[in-house]
Amino acid sequence: MSPKKFFLLPEDTKKLCARNSDHENFNDGWVSSEIERLNPLRPGDLKEAFNISHLDSVLKWPSDASIPEFQEVLDSFFRRCKALALRVLEVTALSLGLQRDFFVKKHKLIGTNKNCTTLRTLYYPPLHKVIVKPNQIRCGEHSDYGSVTLLFQDESGGLEVMHRSGQYISAPCIPGTVLVNIADLMQRWTSDVLVSTSHRVVLPSDKMNTSRQSMAFFVNPDKDEIISCCDGSSKYPPVNALQYTKDRAYIAYKDANNSNLAF
């Protein structure tokens, strides 16, 4: 079953599953188009998302008969992504000369309410019937918040990553591969040995009637972990993993917060 079926449901149906920032699992649920603004200098992002971070969550899953396997598919994919993420964290630790389980020990609670790791299925709807605002794109420039991100994308294109030169370059889909992105807390942990990558999703140059889909597994340390430089330096001050994630999420949803929307 393709997760796209969920995004094609009526909006009133999707609203029943809306993300609620006041809940313990504050990132779970549906996010409607233009609610997220990952670059505060641009209009809201032209995308929808469905987030899952807690495998035993009280999240309101869609009950529509047309997508009976939606929860089962996302649960299964979450578990497979978790296994791959832990392997990536092991390799990362070894590459830095650290103990193999240095990072894995700090991600022991993925899939519980003690960890913010989130699977997002993302849908970028066609734009031929949308009034695109000036300076608006599908996903504004940003870096990810946590440790690493696993990205699975279709072949429609649009993803760009910032080169060290400061220029954005295309990051097209390579069939059979997973794109691994370094995120903010990993940069802090490694004192800039590994650098968090700014990225965005731009509008298609043509074919405005086509959609884009991706799935991203945003890997975060356990909520209580204190992230400090693993080389013993003081390049970055220690920071709590949960607080850093909440602070970044607040900025992305600031307009929705001010409007008292459920998101």
Side-chain angles (χ1 to χ4, degrees):
M1 187 218 81
S2 170
K4 182 178 179 180
K5 288 184 178 180
F6 168 79
F7 297 105
L8 300 181
L9 293 174
E11 185 152 328
D12 286 346
T13 301
K14 292 185 288 188
K15 281 182 178 178
L16 298 174
C17 310
R19 178 184 183 275
N20 185 349
S21 62
D22 294 327
H23 192 272
E24 178 185 19
N25 300 319
F26 62 90
N27 206 30
D28 286 9
W30 174 62
V31 181
S32 62
S33 184
E34 299 189 73
I35 288 294
E36 247 180 23
R37 186 196 302 257
L38 290 178
N39 181 345
L41 301 179
R42 291 186 182 274
D45 296 345
L46 291 166
K47 70 175 188 294
E48 298 180 37
F50 189 91
N51 306 335
I52 170 175
S53 66
H54 183 192
L55 292 174
D56 296 319
S57 175
V58 293
L59 168 69
K60 294 179 181 178
W61 289 90
S63 57
D64 193 277
S66 66
I67 52 169
E69 300 174 352
F70 186 67
Q71 180 176 357
E72 179 183 347
V73 167
L74 291 191
D75 273 359
S76 175
F77 194 62
F78 187 106
R79 295 176 195 277
R80 295 179 69 180
C81 287
K82 175 183 175 181
L84 177 57
L86 295 178
R87 290 174 61 191
V88 170
L89 291 172
E90 283 189 347
V91 171
T92 302
L94 291 172
S95 74
L96 295 166
L98 302 171
Q99 292 294 318
R100 177 187 293 268
D101 63 351
F102 180 87
F103 295 120
V104 170
K105 288 189 299 184
K106 302 175 188 304
H107 296 76
K108 292 184 297 185
L109 302 174
I110 290 175
T112 75
N113 62 359
K114 302 297 184 182
N115 184 292
C116 290
T117 294
T118 302
L119 174 64
R120 304 194 82 193
T121 176
L122 295 147
Y123 176 65
Y124 302 80
L127 301 172
H128 60 297
K129 295 182 179 179
V130 175
I131 299 175
V132 179
K133 300 179 179 70
N135 209 34
Q136 190 172 33
I137 58 177
R138 279 179 155 170
C139 181
E141 295 84 355
H142 68 286
S143 58
D144 295 338
Y145 312 159
S147 306
V148 296
T149 302
L150 309 180
L151 179 69
F152 309 80
Q153 58 176 332
D154 67 14
E155 297 182 357
S156 62
L159 176 65
E160 295 184 345
V161 299
M162 182 184 282
H163 188 268
R164 286 182 181 247
S165 66
Q167 299 296 312
Y168 278 91
I169 60 174
S170 176
C173 172
I174 302 174
T177 67
V178 180
L179 190 154
V180 180
N181 190 41
I182 301 298
D184 292 352
L185 292 180
M186 184 61 74
Q187 177 170 337
R188 298 174 72 101
W189 246 329
T190 64
S191 303
D192 295 348
V193 173
L194 300 176
V195 178
S196 184
T197 310
S198 179
H199 50 285
R200 65 189 182 187
V201 179
V202 298
L203 302 178
S205 56
D206 56 4
K207 298 182 179 178
M208 297 290 276
N209 63 334
T210 60
S211 62
R212 181 182 192 272
Q213 277 194 278
S214 65
M215 298 188 75
F217 192 67
F218 295 93
V219 182
N220 283 270
D222 297 336
K223 290 180 178 180
D224 290 339
E225 288 293 335
I226 302 299
I227 311 305
S228 55
C229 300
C230 60
D231 62 0
S233 73
S234 56
K235 188 160 192 176
Y236 294 101
V239 64
N240 171 260
L242 174 60
Q243 192 59 54
Y244 184 86
T245 301
K246 279 190 167 183
D247 290 346
R248 289 291 308 274
Y250 177 82
I251 294 171
Y253 291 100
K254 186 174 181 180
D255 288 347
N257 294 339
N258 293 340
S259 300
N260 296 315
L261 295 174
F263 56 84

